[in-house]
Amino acid sequence: MVNTELVVLDMAGTTVADDGLVIRAFTAAIAAAGVSEEDSRFPRMLDYVVETMGQSKIVVFRALLDGDEELARRANTAFQDAYEKLVADGHCEPIPGAEQTIQELRAQGVKVALTTGFAPATQNAILDVLGWRGLADAVLAPGEGVRGRPYPDLVLAAALRLEITDVRRIAVAGDTASDVQTGLRSGASIVAGVLTGSAKKPEFEAAGATHVLESVRDLPTLLS
């Protein structure tokens, strides 16, 4: 196995417990775009949100709202506000062992990047509440010049920022099929699905994951 220089980890569902926060924030967000829970479109939209877990939220809202940019941005802002309020109210905890895993990897000389499909402000709110500022070598979110999952940009941007010598020396772990697609498209040698989030083992296998782990806690053993 190629020595790993960089581990790229998803946040919600992988290193941070979700506990339905995305669905709760989505419900508030889509209401801001004029779609209530009683609307006949709501169940289909909710299914799509679950199917696209891990992807950039603004992209998801554009798809749901038929490309209406104004409505998509309104929904995205409402999502950010709702999610950040849930985080501020204490509905945000790390996956057991996640922080120790990151510390262990870095102690072994492996660089670690935390990535998300959330906006940077939402990512920062989570980091602040958990006290995770400085925990990883880099934190990245979709933004100018960096597309979200399932594109490879987040992984490749981390590799460039942290001066990784070869994409084959990268390991990626996440709780969705989109995380797996991102890892494969980036050229990472290890692309692991973790079972602490939204996806199950068959979904990871269908997406082409190289490994399926019970938790991110199992990653150091896999890399050793």
Side-chain angles (χ1 to χ4, degrees), residues 115-135:
T115 64
T116 183
F118 297 148
T122 308
Q123 182 182 50
N124 288 333
I126 295 170
L127 294 172
D128 287 339
V129 165
L130 296 180
W132 278 12
R133 292 282 188 177
L135 176 64

Side-chain angles (χ1 to χ4, degrees), residues 2-6 155-156 159-160 162-171 186-189:
V2 177
N3 290 334
T4 302
E5 292 182 16
L6 169 65
V155 176
L156 297 178
L160 289 169
L162 298 173
E163 299 181 337
I164 303 308
T165 63
D166 190 326
V167 293
R168 291 171 294 182
R169 295 181 180 272
I170 298 173
S186 72
S189 289

Side-chain angles (χ1 to χ4, degrees), residues 3-63:
N3 290 334
T4 302
E5 292 182 16
L6 169 65
V7 171
V8 179
L9 300 174
D10 170 52
M11 293 182 67
T14 303
T15 55
V16 181
D18 175 62
D19 294 330
L21 298 191
V22 168
I23 300 304
R24 291 167 66 182
F26 163 75
T27 301
I30 207 66
V35 181
S36 71
E37 292 183 69
E38 289 72 36
D39 193 300
S40 61
R41 295 171 293 173
F42 184 85
R44 172 182 58 81
M45 289 182 167
L46 183 59
D47 288 344
Y48 185 77
V49 169
V50 173
E51 291 168 9
T52 58
M53 281 287 188
Q55 295 186 19
S56 171
K57 293 299 173 274
I58 183 62
V59 174
V60 171
F61 285 121
R62 284 173 182 146

Side-chain angles (χ1 to χ4, degrees), residues 100-116:
Q100 295 86 343
T101 294
I102 294 169
Q103 292 169 336
E104 181 180 345
L105 289 169
R106 294 186 71 188
Q108 294 172 358
V110 179
K111 294 179 179 178
V112 178
L114 290 171
T115 64
T116 183

